[in-house]
Amino acid sequence: MRPIWSGAISFGLVTIPIKVFPATESHTISLHQFHTADGGRIRYRKVCEADGKALTQEEITRGYETATGTLIPVTDEDLDALPLPTAKAIEIVAFVPTDSIDPIRIGASYYLAAEGVAAKPYELLRQALERSSKVAVAKFAMRDRERLGLLRVLDDVIVLHGMRWPDEIRDPGQVEVPDVEVSDEEIDAAIALADTLSGRDISEMHDEYRQALEKLIEAKAAGTRPEPVEAPQPASAEVVDLMAMLEKSVNEAKASRSDGPDATVHDLPTAKKTTKKTAAKKTAGKEAPAKKSAGRKPRSA
């Protein structure tokens, strides 16, 4: 792997020079657009609105457009001169329990590596994170903006996860929550299904859509087509018998896992209960107009 960034972790008065490597990769198959009539590739060009000329990357700069339409240029030199202490440092600002971080805030992931004289302080931070069972919240600047990050240990490597700022998370109160009742029996049946589906190794999961697309491309390249597969029926919007569907789901899960060595399945509850639970009350002031998400500060392009 090739590093995409280099800097240092700032851990109190301890500085740890590190290199940053991408921890993930995309296996998405890229499809291009082309002209049906002659097979010519369709390409996107960067064209100036003022003179209609196609521009090279060297002729393009960045800037911010104000509400009145005024363009304010922002150059690489301007960005490099910003007084950010995190410009070349991952500055740890807090240690927090792992379960206090909502997964909705997690973004791209990176591996951090250290060598030479940085090996000992790197190992010090790694073991501190591991033994405390906590993660470190940090601030760092990468690709023209300051970011919030999370440091944790994966095996023997410190991993940096980019995180969204608090004002980038939309208020869930804007989502309409249905006000319905479900019975204890239905809830117990759903839990039984969840228990039946527990214990699966997600490391064995794979992208079936990408595999099907690869087979399609290989077949068409050979002048054939894959065998047609019956398309699944779309989900019905009609009201269904939840208990019947849950029972069927549990039975199918049992059948699919009957050959697995570690399969654990649970039976549906048989005793009927008469008490009912009411769904959680709607957010206070639900009838009021939906609250707008917090305004965001302008960023460089």
Side-chain angles (χ1 to χ4, degrees), residues 192-254:
L193 175 58
D195 288 342
T196 303
L197 297 176
S198 298
R200 293 193 171 185
D201 186 357
I202 63 173
S203 66
E204 297 178 356
M205 297 182 180
H206 55 276
D207 186 347
E208 296 181 13
Y209 180 87
R210 179 175 62 87
Q211 289 183 341
L213 184 56
E214 287 176 343
K215 290 180 180 179
L216 172 64
I217 294 172
E218 290 173 1
K220 296 195 75 173
T224 62
R225 291 188 67 89
E227 290 295 324
V229 179
E230 184 178 354
Q233 294 297 318
S236 173
E238 297 179 3
V239 177
V240 297
D241 184 339
L242 283 179
M243 283 302 298
M245 297 302 292
L246 288 167
E247 183 175 11
K248 181 180 179 181
S249 299
V250 170
N251 290 335
E252 289 181 354
K254 287 181 179 180

Side-chain angles (χ1 to χ4, degrees), residues 4-26:
I4 60 171
W5 190 80
S6 62
I9 300 174
S10 175
F11 177 34
L13 297 178
V14 178
T15 300
I16 312 170
I18 51 92
K19 293 181 179 179
V20 178
F21 298 85
T24 60
E25 58 186 1
S26 174

Side-chain angles (χ1 to χ4, degrees), residues 89-100:
I90 300 171
E91 180 185 2
I92 295 177
V93 294
F95 285 84
V96 299
T98 303
D99 58 8
S100 68

Side-chain angles (χ1 to χ4, degrees), residues 45-49 51-61:
R45 300 185 303 164
K46 297 181 179 180
V47 177
C48 175
E49 292 182 351
D51 56 21
K53 293 182 180 179
L55 304 177
T56 63
Q57 188 59 44
E58 291 71 24
E59 298 176 286
I60 300 173
T61 188

Side-chain angles (χ1 to χ4, degrees), residues 2-280:
R2 298 174 60 182
I4 60 171
W5 190 80
S6 62
I9 300 174
S10 175
F11 177 34
L13 297 178
V14 178
T15 300
I16 312 170
I18 51 92
K19 293 181 179 179
V20 178
F21 298 85
T24 60
E25 58 186 1
S26 174
H27 290 165
T28 300
I29 298 174
S30 299
L31 299 179
H32 301 292
Q33 292 183 327
F34 63 92
H35 188 191
T36 306
D38 55 22
R41 277 283 304 275
I42 307 299
R43 300 183 183 274
Y44 293 94
R45 300 185 303 164
K46 297 181 179 180
V47 177
C48 175
E49 292 182 351
D51 56 21
K53 293 182 180 179
L55 304 177
T56 63
Q57 188 59 44
E58 291 71 24
E59 298 176 286
I60 300 173
T61 188
R62 291 166 293 189
Y64 176 76
E65 185 175 359
T66 67
T68 60
T70 301
L71 292 174
I72 303 175
V74 179
T75 65
D76 289 340
E77 291 74 20
D78 293 331
L79 296 174
D80 291 341
L82 289 176
L84 281 179
T86 55
K88 275 293 181 180
I90 300 171
E91 180 185 2
I92 295 177
V93 294
F95 285 84
V96 299
T98 303
D99 58 8
S100 68
I101 303 296
D102 193 317
I104 197 173
R105 300 185 65 173
I106 302 297
S109 302
Y110 309 92
Y111 292 137
L112 306 185
E115 54 191 25
V117 295
K120 186 171 182 177
Y122 181 95
E123 180 65 11
L124 173 67
L125 176 59
R126 189 189 71 79
Q127 291 202 30
L129 288 168
E130 204 166 44
R131 294 190 188 184
S132 67
S133 298
K134 292 184 177 181
V135 294
V137 176
K139 294 170 69 177
F140 66 103
M142 184 185 294
R143 293 171 182 166
D144 300 341
R145 68 185 182 97
E146 187 174 56
R147 301 165 183 246
L148 194 62
L150 179 149
L151 296 173
R152 71 178 183 93
V153 176
L154 176 62
D155 295 334
D156 293 328
V157 177
I158 297 177
V159 183
L160 169 65
H161 298 284
M163 289 205 304
R164 296 175 177 87
W165 295 99
D167 63 354
E168 292 179 320
I169 306 299
R170 292 180 174 176
D171 180 9
Q174 299 179 54
V175 179
E176 184 72 20
V177 178
D179 188 6
V180 296
E181 291 185 351
V182 292
S183 67
D184 285 350
E185 182 183 11
E186 291 168 330
I187 295 173
D188 290 341
I191 293 173
L193 175 58
D195 288 342
T196 303
L197 297 176
S198 298
R200 293 193 171 185
D201 186 357
I202 63 173
S203 66
E204 297 178 356
M205 297 182 180
H206 55 276
D207 186 347
E208 296 181 13
Y209 180 87
R210 179 175 62 87
Q211 289 183 341
L213 184 56
E214 287 176 343
K215 290 180 180 179
L216 172 64
I217 294 172
E218 290 173 1
K220 296 195 75 173
T224 62
R225 291 188 67 89
E227 290 295 324
V229 179
E230 184 178 354
Q233 294 297 318
S236 173
E238 297 179 3
V239 177
V240 297
D241 184 339
L242 283 179
M243 283 302 298
M245 297 302 292
L246 288 167
E247 183 175 11
K248 181 180 179 181
S249 299
V250 170
N251 290 335
E252 289 181 354
K254 287 181 179 180
S256 67
R257 304 191 65 192
S258 59
D259 297 331
D262 300 320
T264 302
V265 296
H266 301 265
D267 293 324
L268 282 167
T270 55
K272 291 189 176 182
K273 301 178 182 180
T274 56
T275 58
K276 291 186 177 182
K277 291 182 180 179
T278 303

